mmCIF file of all heavy atoms in Angstrom:
data_model
loop_
_atom_site.group_PDB
_atom_site.id
_atom_site.type_symbol
_atom_site.label_atom_id
_atom_site.label_comp_id
_atom_site.label_asym_id
_atom_site.label_seq_id
_atom_site.Cartn_x
_atom_site.Cartn_y
_atom_site.Cartn_z
ATOM 1 N N MET J 1207 -93.687 -45.113 -194.076
ATOM 2 C CA MET J 1207 -93.435 -44.209 -192.962
ATOM 3 C C MET J 1207 -94.611 -44.168 -191.993
ATOM 4 O O MET J 1207 -94.430 -44.162 -190.769
ATOM 5 C CB MET J 1207 -93.160 -42.801 -193.504
ATOM 6 C CG MET J 1207 -92.011 -42.707 -194.488
ATOM 7 S SD MET J 1207 -90.422 -43.139 -193.743
ATOM 8 C CE MET J 1207 -90.188 -41.727 -192.656
ATOM 9 N N LEU J 1208 -95.833 -44.159 -192.536
ATOM 10 C CA LEU J 1208 -97.019 -44.063 -191.701
ATOM 11 C C LEU J 1208 -97.252 -45.335 -190.898
ATOM 12 O O LEU J 1208 -97.790 -45.285 -189.788
ATOM 13 C CB LEU J 1208 -98.243 -43.742 -192.563
ATOM 14 C CG LEU J 1208 -98.208 -42.364 -193.244
ATOM 15 C CD1 LEU J 1208 -99.402 -42.198 -194.180
ATOM 16 C CD2 LEU J 1208 -98.177 -41.251 -192.204
ATOM 17 N N SER J 1209 -96.856 -46.474 -191.433
ATOM 18 C CA SER J 1209 -96.968 -47.731 -190.685
ATOM 19 C C SER J 1209 -96.095 -47.687 -189.443
ATOM 20 O O SER J 1209 -96.495 -48.135 -188.359
ATOM 21 C CB SER J 1209 -96.572 -48.918 -191.570
ATOM 22 O OG SER J 1209 -97.500 -49.093 -192.616
ATOM 23 N N HIS J 1210 -94.896 -47.131 -189.584
ATOM 24 C CA HIS J 1210 -94.007 -46.977 -188.423
ATOM 25 C C HIS J 1210 -94.612 -46.001 -187.420
ATOM 26 O O HIS J 1210 -94.557 -46.234 -186.204
ATOM 27 C CB HIS J 1210 -92.627 -46.486 -188.877
ATOM 28 C CG HIS J 1210 -91.823 -47.505 -189.602
ATOM 29 N ND1 HIS J 1210 -91.447 -48.714 -189.048
ATOM 30 C CD2 HIS J 1210 -91.318 -47.507 -190.868
ATOM 31 C CE1 HIS J 1210 -90.749 -49.411 -189.915
ATOM 32 N NE2 HIS J 1210 -90.659 -48.702 -191.040
ATOM 33 N N LEU J 1211 -95.187 -44.904 -187.923
ATOM 34 C CA LEU J 1211 -95.798 -43.914 -187.041
ATOM 35 C C LEU J 1211 -96.958 -44.525 -186.264
ATOM 36 O O LEU J 1211 -97.097 -44.295 -185.051
ATOM 37 C CB LEU J 1211 -96.296 -42.722 -187.859
ATOM 38 C CG LEU J 1211 -97.060 -41.636 -187.089
ATOM 39 C CD1 LEU J 1211 -96.181 -41.014 -186.007
ATOM 40 C CD2 LEU J 1211 -97.571 -40.558 -188.040
ATOM 41 N N ALA J 1212 -97.796 -45.309 -186.941
ATOM 42 C CA ALA J 1212 -98.937 -45.937 -186.281
ATOM 43 C C ALA J 1212 -98.473 -46.888 -185.184
ATOM 44 O O ALA J 1212 -99.081 -46.975 -184.110
ATOM 45 C CB ALA J 1212 -99.781 -46.682 -187.304
ATOM 46 N N LYS J 1213 -97.387 -47.594 -185.454
ATOM 47 C CA LYS J 1213 -96.869 -48.551 -184.476
ATOM 48 C C LYS J 1213 -96.313 -47.848 -183.248
ATOM 49 O O LYS J 1213 -96.552 -48.257 -182.106
ATOM 50 C CB LYS J 1213 -95.784 -49.408 -185.129
ATOM 51 C CG LYS J 1213 -95.275 -50.534 -184.243
ATOM 52 C CD LYS J 1213 -94.296 -51.416 -185.009
ATOM 53 C CE LYS J 1213 -93.824 -52.573 -184.144
ATOM 54 N NZ LYS J 1213 -92.886 -53.457 -184.891
ATOM 55 N N VAL J 1214 -95.601 -46.761 -183.472
ATOM 56 C CA VAL J 1214 -94.961 -46.037 -182.365
ATOM 57 C C VAL J 1214 -95.978 -45.227 -181.563
ATOM 58 O O VAL J 1214 -95.957 -45.223 -180.325
ATOM 59 C CB VAL J 1214 -93.853 -45.105 -182.906
ATOM 60 C CG1 VAL J 1214 -93.327 -44.195 -181.798
ATOM 61 C CG2 VAL J 1214 -92.727 -45.930 -183.503
ATOM 62 N N SER J 1215 -96.897 -44.551 -182.256
ATOM 63 C CA SER J 1215 -97.827 -43.637 -181.586
ATOM 64 C C SER J 1215 -99.136 -44.309 -181.178
ATOM 65 O O SER J 1215 -99.894 -43.751 -180.391
ATOM 66 C CB SER J 1215 -98.152 -42.455 -182.506
ATOM 67 O OG SER J 1215 -98.855 -42.914 -183.664
ATOM 68 N N ASN J 1216 -99.397 -45.491 -181.736
ATOM 69 C CA ASN J 1216 -100.680 -46.176 -181.532
ATOM 70 C C ASN J 1216 -101.858 -45.288 -181.932
ATOM 71 O O ASN J 1216 -102.897 -45.252 -181.285
ATOM 72 C CB ASN J 1216 -100.843 -46.649 -180.086
ATOM 73 C CG ASN J 1216 -101.853 -47.790 -179.983
ATOM 74 O OD1 ASN J 1216 -102.000 -48.584 -180.912
ATOM 75 N ND2 ASN J 1216 -102.551 -47.862 -178.865
ATOM 76 N N SER J 1217 -101.676 -44.554 -183.027
ATOM 77 C CA SER J 1217 -102.732 -43.720 -183.581
ATOM 78 C C SER J 1217 -103.369 -44.432 -184.772
ATOM 79 O O SER J 1217 -102.719 -45.230 -185.454
ATOM 80 C CB SER J 1217 -102.157 -42.377 -184.059
ATOM 81 O OG SER J 1217 -101.512 -41.686 -183.021
ATOM 82 N N GLY J 1218 -104.632 -44.132 -185.027
ATOM 83 C CA GLY J 1218 -105.287 -44.619 -186.230
ATOM 84 C C GLY J 1218 -105.011 -43.643 -187.361
ATOM 85 O O GLY J 1218 -105.319 -42.460 -187.251
ATOM 86 N N ILE J 1219 -104.422 -44.120 -188.452
ATOM 87 C CA ILE J 1219 -103.984 -43.231 -189.522
ATOM 88 C C ILE J 1219 -104.634 -43.625 -190.840
ATOM 89 O O ILE J 1219 -104.697 -44.808 -191.189
ATOM 90 C CB ILE J 1219 -102.450 -43.277 -189.662
ATOM 91 C CG1 ILE J 1219 -101.787 -42.797 -188.367
ATOM 92 C CG2 ILE J 1219 -101.984 -42.426 -190.840
ATOM 93 C CD1 ILE J 1219 -100.285 -42.932 -188.355
ATOM 94 N N THR J 1220 -105.133 -42.627 -191.570
ATOM 95 C CA THR J 1220 -105.685 -42.854 -192.899
ATOM 96 C C THR J 1220 -105.156 -41.789 -193.856
ATOM 97 O O THR J 1220 -104.758 -40.702 -193.430
ATOM 98 C CB THR J 1220 -107.227 -42.818 -192.917
ATOM 99 O OG1 THR J 1220 -107.676 -41.531 -192.464
ATOM 100 C CG2 THR J 1220 -107.821 -43.899 -192.025
ATOM 101 N N VAL J 1221 -105.186 -42.111 -195.149
ATOM 102 C CA VAL J 1221 -104.837 -41.164 -196.200
ATOM 103 C C VAL J 1221 -106.000 -41.107 -197.184
ATOM 104 O O VAL J 1221 -106.474 -42.144 -197.655
ATOM 105 C CB VAL J 1221 -103.542 -41.571 -196.943
ATOM 106 C CG1 VAL J 1221 -103.279 -40.622 -198.119
ATOM 107 C CG2 VAL J 1221 -102.358 -41.566 -195.987
ATOM 108 N N PHE J 1222 -106.449 -39.878 -197.484
ATOM 109 C CA PHE J 1222 -107.558 -39.683 -198.414
ATOM 110 C C PHE J 1222 -107.019 -39.112 -199.717
ATOM 111 O O PHE J 1222 -106.250 -38.148 -199.721
ATOM 112 C CB PHE J 1222 -108.590 -38.723 -197.822
ATOM 113 C CG PHE J 1222 -109.850 -38.584 -198.644
ATOM 114 C CD1 PHE J 1222 -110.852 -39.539 -198.567
ATOM 115 C CD2 PHE J 1222 -110.019 -37.505 -199.505
ATOM 116 C CE1 PHE J 1222 -112.008 -39.421 -199.322
ATOM 117 C CE2 PHE J 1222 -111.169 -37.374 -200.268
ATOM 118 C CZ PHE J 1222 -112.163 -38.343 -200.176
ATOM 119 N N ASP J 1223 -107.430 -39.725 -200.826
ATOM 120 C CA ASP J 1223 -107.016 -39.307 -202.159
ATOM 121 C C ASP J 1223 -108.102 -38.399 -202.746
ATOM 122 O O ASP J 1223 -109.207 -38.843 -203.044
ATOM 123 C CB ASP J 1223 -106.825 -40.550 -203.039
ATOM 124 C CG ASP J 1223 -106.285 -40.233 -204.429
ATOM 125 O OD1 ASP J 1223 -106.499 -39.107 -204.910
ATOM 126 O OD2 ASP J 1223 -105.660 -41.123 -205.030
ATOM 127 N N MET J 1224 -107.788 -37.099 -202.908
ATOM 128 C CA MET J 1224 -108.780 -36.139 -203.407
ATOM 129 C C MET J 1224 -109.133 -36.402 -204.868
ATOM 130 O O MET J 1224 -110.217 -36.037 -205.315
ATOM 131 C CB MET J 1224 -108.240 -34.713 -203.251
ATOM 132 C CG MET J 1224 -107.949 -34.314 -201.815
ATOM 133 S SD MET J 1224 -109.432 -33.870 -200.883
ATOM 134 C CE MET J 1224 -109.588 -32.148 -201.347
ATOM 135 N N TYR J 1225 -108.232 -37.022 -205.608
ATOM 136 C CA TYR J 1225 -108.505 -37.344 -207.009
ATOM 137 C C TYR J 1225 -109.493 -38.506 -207.105
ATOM 138 O O TYR J 1225 -110.507 -38.419 -207.811
ATOM 139 C CB TYR J 1225 -107.204 -37.694 -207.719
ATOM 140 C CG TYR J 1225 -107.386 -38.299 -209.089
ATOM 141 C CD1 TYR J 1225 -107.999 -37.593 -210.118
ATOM 142 C CD2 TYR J 1225 -106.921 -39.591 -209.363
ATOM 143 C CE1 TYR J 1225 -108.167 -38.155 -211.379
ATOM 144 C CE2 TYR J 1225 -107.082 -40.149 -210.615
ATOM 145 C CZ TYR J 1225 -107.706 -39.437 -211.615
ATOM 146 O OH TYR J 1225 -107.868 -40.001 -212.857
ATOM 147 N N GLN J 1226 -109.225 -39.593 -206.386
ATOM 148 C CA GLN J 1226 -110.111 -40.755 -206.412
ATOM 149 C C GLN J 1226 -111.311 -40.595 -205.481
ATOM 150 O O GLN J 1226 -112.265 -41.366 -205.559
ATOM 151 C CB GLN J 1226 -109.344 -42.022 -206.028
ATOM 152 C CG GLN J 1226 -108.194 -42.366 -206.938
ATOM 153 C CD GLN J 1226 -107.579 -43.703 -206.603
ATOM 154 O OE1 GLN J 1226 -108.244 -44.731 -206.553
ATOM 155 N NE2 GLN J 1226 -106.264 -43.699 -206.360
ATOM 156 N N GLN J 1227 -111.232 -39.597 -204.578
ATOM 157 C CA GLN J 1227 -112.274 -39.327 -203.599
ATOM 158 C C GLN J 1227 -112.566 -40.563 -202.742
ATOM 159 O O GLN J 1227 -113.719 -40.957 -202.526
ATOM 160 C CB GLN J 1227 -113.551 -38.815 -204.276
ATOM 161 C CG GLN J 1227 -113.352 -37.488 -204.980
ATOM 162 C CD GLN J 1227 -114.635 -36.863 -205.465
ATOM 163 O OE1 GLN J 1227 -115.709 -37.108 -204.906
ATOM 164 N NE2 GLN J 1227 -114.557 -36.059 -206.500
ATOM 165 N N LYS J 1228 -111.487 -41.155 -202.251
ATOM 166 C CA LYS J 1228 -111.626 -42.297 -201.358
ATOM 167 C C LYS J 1228 -110.353 -42.451 -200.527
ATOM 168 O O LYS J 1228 -109.297 -41.895 -200.866
ATOM 169 C CB LYS J 1228 -111.895 -43.586 -202.140
ATOM 170 C CG LYS J 1228 -110.727 -44.062 -202.975
ATOM 171 C CD LYS J 1228 -111.059 -45.389 -203.661
ATOM 172 C CE LYS J 1228 -109.852 -45.939 -204.421
ATOM 173 N NZ LYS J 1228 -110.176 -47.242 -205.061
ATOM 174 N N HIS J 1229 -110.465 -43.225 -199.433
ATOM 175 C CA HIS J 1229 -109.297 -43.505 -198.612
ATOM 176 C C HIS J 1229 -108.438 -44.555 -199.315
ATOM 177 O O HIS J 1229 -108.946 -45.581 -199.766
ATOM 178 C CB HIS J 1229 -109.720 -44.003 -197.232
ATOM 179 C CG HIS J 1229 -110.283 -42.916 -196.367
ATOM 180 N ND1 HIS J 1229 -111.612 -42.533 -196.418
ATOM 181 C CD2 HIS J 1229 -109.696 -42.109 -195.435
ATOM 182 C CE1 HIS J 1229 -111.814 -41.548 -195.553
ATOM 183 N NE2 HIS J 1229 -110.685 -41.267 -194.960
ATOM 184 N N VAL J 1230 -107.155 -44.270 -199.413
ATOM 185 C CA VAL J 1230 -106.238 -45.174 -200.110
ATOM 186 C C VAL J 1230 -105.245 -45.816 -199.154
ATOM 187 O O VAL J 1230 -104.405 -46.618 -199.576
ATOM 188 C CB VAL J 1230 -105.487 -44.430 -201.234
ATOM 189 C CG1 VAL J 1230 -106.454 -44.081 -202.364
ATOM 190 C CG2 VAL J 1230 -104.787 -43.173 -200.714
ATOM 191 N N TYR J 1231 -105.340 -45.475 -197.878
ATOM 192 C CA TYR J 1231 -104.492 -46.115 -196.870
ATOM 193 C C TYR J 1231 -105.190 -46.061 -195.517
ATOM 194 O O TYR J 1231 -105.753 -45.030 -195.139
ATOM 195 C CB TYR J 1231 -103.131 -45.427 -196.762
ATOM 196 C CG TYR J 1231 -102.303 -45.923 -195.590
ATOM 197 C CD1 TYR J 1231 -101.619 -47.122 -195.672
ATOM 198 C CD2 TYR J 1231 -102.246 -45.199 -194.401
ATOM 199 C CE1 TYR J 1231 -100.876 -47.599 -194.595
ATOM 200 C CE2 TYR J 1231 -101.500 -45.652 -193.320
ATOM 201 C CZ TYR J 1231 -100.820 -46.855 -193.426
ATOM 202 O OH TYR J 1231 -100.100 -47.320 -192.356
ATOM 203 N N THR J 1232 -105.162 -47.183 -194.816
ATOM 204 C CA THR J 1232 -105.646 -47.255 -193.441
ATOM 205 C C THR J 1232 -104.623 -48.045 -192.641
ATOM 206 O O THR J 1232 -104.226 -49.141 -193.057
ATOM 207 C CB THR J 1232 -107.017 -47.957 -193.349
ATOM 208 O OG1 THR J 1232 -107.964 -47.256 -194.163
ATOM 209 C CG2 THR J 1232 -107.528 -47.981 -191.917
ATOM 210 N N SER J 1233 -104.168 -47.517 -191.533
ATOM 211 C CA SER J 1233 -103.127 -48.179 -190.751
ATOM 212 C C SER J 1233 -103.613 -49.518 -190.214
ATOM 213 O O SER J 1233 -104.805 -49.723 -189.979
ATOM 214 C CB SER J 1233 -102.649 -47.278 -189.608
ATOM 215 O OG SER J 1233 -103.713 -46.973 -188.721
ATOM 216 N N PHE J 1234 -102.676 -50.425 -190.008
ATOM 217 C CA PHE J 1234 -102.976 -51.796 -189.596
ATOM 218 C C PHE J 1234 -103.731 -51.871 -188.277
ATOM 219 O O PHE J 1234 -104.490 -52.806 -188.025
ATOM 220 C CB PHE J 1234 -101.666 -52.589 -189.466
ATOM 221 C CG PHE J 1234 -100.795 -52.130 -188.325
ATOM 222 C CD1 PHE J 1234 -100.886 -52.695 -187.064
ATOM 223 C CD2 PHE J 1234 -99.893 -51.089 -188.504
ATOM 224 C CE1 PHE J 1234 -100.095 -52.262 -186.006
ATOM 225 C CE2 PHE J 1234 -99.098 -50.644 -187.459
ATOM 226 C CZ PHE J 1234 -99.197 -51.229 -186.206
ATOM 227 N N ASN J 1235 -103.557 -50.861 -187.423
ATOM 228 C CA ASN J 1235 -104.143 -50.894 -186.083
ATOM 229 C C ASN J 1235 -105.476 -50.166 -185.982
ATOM 230 O O ASN J 1235 -106.073 -50.104 -184.912
ATOM 231 C CB ASN J 1235 -103.167 -50.279 -185.081
ATOM 232 C CG ASN J 1235 -102.826 -48.827 -185.405
ATOM 233 O OD1 ASN J 1235 -103.014 -48.383 -186.533
ATOM 234 N ND2 ASN J 1235 -102.333 -48.095 -184.424
ATOM 235 N N PHE J 1236 -105.949 -49.603 -187.090
ATOM 236 C CA PHE J 1236 -107.147 -48.777 -187.043
ATOM 237 C C PHE J 1236 -108.359 -49.562 -186.546
ATOM 238 O O PHE J 1236 -109.105 -49.107 -185.678
ATOM 239 C CB PHE J 1236 -107.441 -48.193 -188.436
ATOM 240 C CG PHE J 1236 -108.374 -47.017 -188.418
ATOM 241 C CD1 PHE J 1236 -107.886 -45.730 -188.502
ATOM 242 C CD2 PHE J 1236 -109.742 -47.184 -188.315
ATOM 243 C CE1 PHE J 1236 -108.737 -44.634 -188.471
ATOM 244 C CE2 PHE J 1236 -110.606 -46.107 -188.294
ATOM 245 C CZ PHE J 1236 -110.100 -44.828 -188.371
ATOM 246 N N GLY J 1237 -108.571 -50.748 -187.099
ATOM 247 C CA GLY J 1237 -109.732 -51.549 -186.713
ATOM 248 C C GLY J 1237 -109.737 -51.926 -185.251
ATOM 249 O O GLY J 1237 -110.782 -51.907 -184.600
ATOM 250 N N GLY J 1238 -108.556 -52.258 -184.719
ATOM 251 C CA GLY J 1238 -108.473 -52.629 -183.309
ATOM 252 C C GLY J 1238 -108.767 -51.472 -182.381
ATOM 253 O O GLY J 1238 -109.294 -51.664 -181.280
ATOM 254 N N LEU J 1239 -108.450 -50.256 -182.825
ATOM 255 C CA LEU J 1239 -108.685 -49.071 -182.002
ATOM 256 C C LEU J 1239 -110.110 -48.538 -182.131
ATOM 257 O O LEU J 1239 -110.758 -48.212 -181.132
ATOM 258 C CB LEU J 1239 -107.702 -47.962 -182.398
ATOM 259 C CG LEU J 1239 -106.229 -48.177 -182.065
ATOM 260 C CD1 LEU J 1239 -105.381 -47.120 -182.755
ATOM 261 C CD2 LEU J 1239 -106.012 -48.133 -180.560
ATOM 262 N N PHE J 1240 -110.579 -48.440 -183.369
ATOM 263 C CA PHE J 1240 -111.824 -47.716 -183.620
ATOM 264 C C PHE J 1240 -112.858 -48.507 -184.416
ATOM 265 O O PHE J 1240 -113.904 -47.969 -184.780
ATOM 266 C CB PHE J 1240 -111.520 -46.408 -184.363
ATOM 267 C CG PHE J 1240 -110.508 -45.545 -183.658
ATOM 268 C CD1 PHE J 1240 -109.250 -45.337 -184.186
ATOM 269 C CD2 PHE J 1240 -110.808 -44.948 -182.441
ATOM 270 C CE1 PHE J 1240 -108.318 -44.545 -183.544
ATOM 271 C CE2 PHE J 1240 -109.884 -44.163 -181.779
ATOM 272 C CZ PHE J 1240 -108.624 -43.959 -182.327
ATOM 273 N N GLY J 1241 -112.587 -49.761 -184.705
ATOM 274 C CA GLY J 1241 -113.525 -50.557 -185.486
ATOM 275 C C GLY J 1241 -113.185 -50.500 -186.965
ATOM 276 O O GLY J 1241 -112.494 -49.598 -187.426
ATOM 277 N N ASP J 1242 -113.652 -51.486 -187.697
ATOM 278 C CA ASP J 1242 -113.350 -51.569 -189.127
ATOM 279 C C ASP J 1242 -114.084 -50.480 -189.902
ATOM 280 O O ASP J 1242 -115.307 -50.376 -189.845
ATOM 281 C CB ASP J 1242 -113.746 -52.945 -189.675
ATOM 282 C CG ASP J 1242 -112.882 -54.047 -189.086
ATOM 283 O OD1 ASP J 1242 -111.694 -53.786 -188.828
ATOM 284 O OD2 ASP J 1242 -113.390 -55.165 -188.876
ATOM 285 N N CYS J 1243 -113.334 -49.665 -190.627
ATOM 286 C CA CYS J 1243 -113.911 -48.567 -191.420
ATOM 287 C C CYS J 1243 -113.127 -48.461 -192.720
ATOM 288 O O CYS J 1243 -112.173 -47.698 -192.798
ATOM 289 C CB CYS J 1243 -113.842 -47.242 -190.660
ATOM 290 S SG CYS J 1243 -114.567 -47.268 -189.021
ATOM 291 N N GLU J 1244 -113.522 -49.224 -193.706
ATOM 292 C CA GLU J 1244 -112.790 -49.223 -194.968
ATOM 293 C C GLU J 1244 -112.823 -47.859 -195.639
ATOM 294 O O GLU J 1244 -111.882 -47.454 -196.308
ATOM 295 C CB GLU J 1244 -113.367 -50.276 -195.915
ATOM 296 C CG GLU J 1244 -113.096 -51.706 -195.464
ATOM 297 C CD GLU J 1244 -113.550 -52.717 -196.486
ATOM 298 O OE1 GLU J 1244 -114.004 -52.290 -197.570
ATOM 299 O OE2 GLU J 1244 -113.458 -53.921 -196.213
ATOM 300 N N GLU J 1245 -113.928 -47.139 -195.516
ATOM 301 C CA GLU J 1245 -114.067 -45.841 -196.181
ATOM 302 C C GLU J 1245 -114.116 -44.697 -195.172
ATOM 303 O O GLU J 1245 -114.878 -43.759 -195.312
ATOM 304 C CB GLU J 1245 -115.323 -45.832 -197.055
ATOM 305 C CG GLU J 1245 -115.171 -46.641 -198.328
ATOM 306 C CD GLU J 1245 -114.051 -46.114 -199.220
ATOM 307 O OE1 GLU J 1245 -113.923 -44.888 -199.333
ATOM 308 O OE2 GLU J 1245 -113.313 -46.932 -199.786
ATOM 309 N N GLY J 1246 -113.293 -44.800 -194.122
ATOM 310 C CA GLY J 1246 -113.280 -43.728 -193.140
ATOM 311 C C GLY J 1246 -114.145 -44.055 -191.943
ATOM 312 O O GLY J 1246 -114.514 -45.205 -191.710
ATOM 313 N N ILE J 1247 -114.505 -43.037 -191.191
ATOM 314 C CA ILE J 1247 -115.168 -43.265 -189.906
ATOM 315 C C ILE J 1247 -116.562 -42.649 -189.813
ATOM 316 O O ILE J 1247 -117.170 -42.683 -188.739
ATOM 317 C CB ILE J 1247 -114.296 -42.714 -188.747
ATOM 318 C CG1 ILE J 1247 -114.103 -41.205 -188.911
ATOM 319 C CG2 ILE J 1247 -112.964 -43.438 -188.674
ATOM 320 C CD1 ILE J 1247 -113.432 -40.561 -187.726
ATOM 321 N N ASP J 1248 -117.072 -42.114 -190.910
ATOM 322 C CA ASP J 1248 -118.362 -41.429 -190.845
ATOM 323 C C ASP J 1248 -119.456 -42.308 -190.257
ATOM 324 O O ASP J 1248 -120.309 -41.844 -189.490
ATOM 325 C CB ASP J 1248 -118.798 -40.950 -192.235
ATOM 326 C CG ASP J 1248 -118.033 -39.713 -192.683
ATOM 327 O OD1 ASP J 1248 -117.202 -39.232 -191.892
ATOM 328 O OD2 ASP J 1248 -118.254 -39.253 -193.811
ATOM 329 N N GLU J 1249 -119.448 -43.590 -190.624
ATOM 330 C CA GLU J 1249 -120.503 -44.482 -190.141
ATOM 331 C C GLU J 1249 -120.394 -44.774 -188.655
ATOM 332 O O GLU J 1249 -121.316 -45.312 -188.058
ATOM 333 C CB GLU J 1249 -120.490 -45.801 -190.927
ATOM 334 C CG GLU J 1249 -119.279 -46.682 -190.692
ATOM 335 C CD GLU J 1249 -118.118 -46.366 -191.623
ATOM 336 O OE1 GLU J 1249 -118.077 -45.255 -192.172
ATOM 337 O OE2 GLU J 1249 -117.244 -47.249 -191.772
ATOM 338 N N ARG J 1250 -119.270 -44.394 -188.040
ATOM 339 C CA ARG J 1250 -119.077 -44.646 -186.611
ATOM 340 C C ARG J 1250 -119.176 -43.366 -185.776
ATOM 341 O O ARG J 1250 -119.107 -43.417 -184.554
ATOM 342 C CB ARG J 1250 -117.720 -45.319 -186.370
ATOM 343 C CG ARG J 1250 -117.486 -46.579 -187.194
ATOM 344 C CD ARG J 1250 -116.281 -47.359 -186.725
ATOM 345 N NE ARG J 1250 -116.560 -48.064 -185.491
ATOM 346 C CZ ARG J 1250 -117.087 -49.290 -185.436
ATOM 347 N NH1 ARG J 1250 -117.397 -49.918 -186.543
ATOM 348 N NH2 ARG J 1250 -117.303 -49.876 -184.274
ATOM 349 N N VAL J 1251 -119.320 -42.218 -186.442
ATOM 350 C CA VAL J 1251 -119.442 -40.950 -185.719
ATOM 351 C C VAL J 1251 -120.780 -40.902 -184.987
ATOM 352 O O VAL J 1251 -121.805 -41.348 -185.503
ATOM 353 C CB VAL J 1251 -119.319 -39.757 -186.694
ATOM 354 C CG1 VAL J 1251 -119.614 -38.441 -185.987
ATOM 355 C CG2 VAL J 1251 -117.928 -39.723 -187.319
#
């Protein structure tokens, strides 16, 4: 569902897993919009 949302809205979308304490999903377009951030965007803030 989120892949479709990212395509339609052109938003960068991520999902964070509170149990694993890491991002478990990053939308396909995130890198093109905001740069590659495997573990979120803190390093780019």
Side-chain angles (χ1 to χ4, degrees):
M1207 303 296 290
L1208 295 175
S1209 293
H1210 289 300
L1211 176 61
K1213 186 175 182 179
V1214 171
S1215 65
N1216 202 31
S1217 302
I1219 298 174
T1220 60
V1221 175
F1222 187 80
D1223 184 334
M1224 299 282 275
Y1225 169 62
Q1226 299 187 55
Q1227 297 189 27
K1228 68 177 184 179
H1229 287 85
V1230 290
Y1231 171 79
T1232 302
S1233 61
F1234 68 92
N1235 60 341
F1236 198 100
L1239 291 169
F1240 305 112
D1242 293 326
C1243 306
E1244 291 186 4
E1245 286 299 320
I1247 61 172
D1248 284 358
E1249 68 272 21
R1250 307 192 75 88
V1251 173

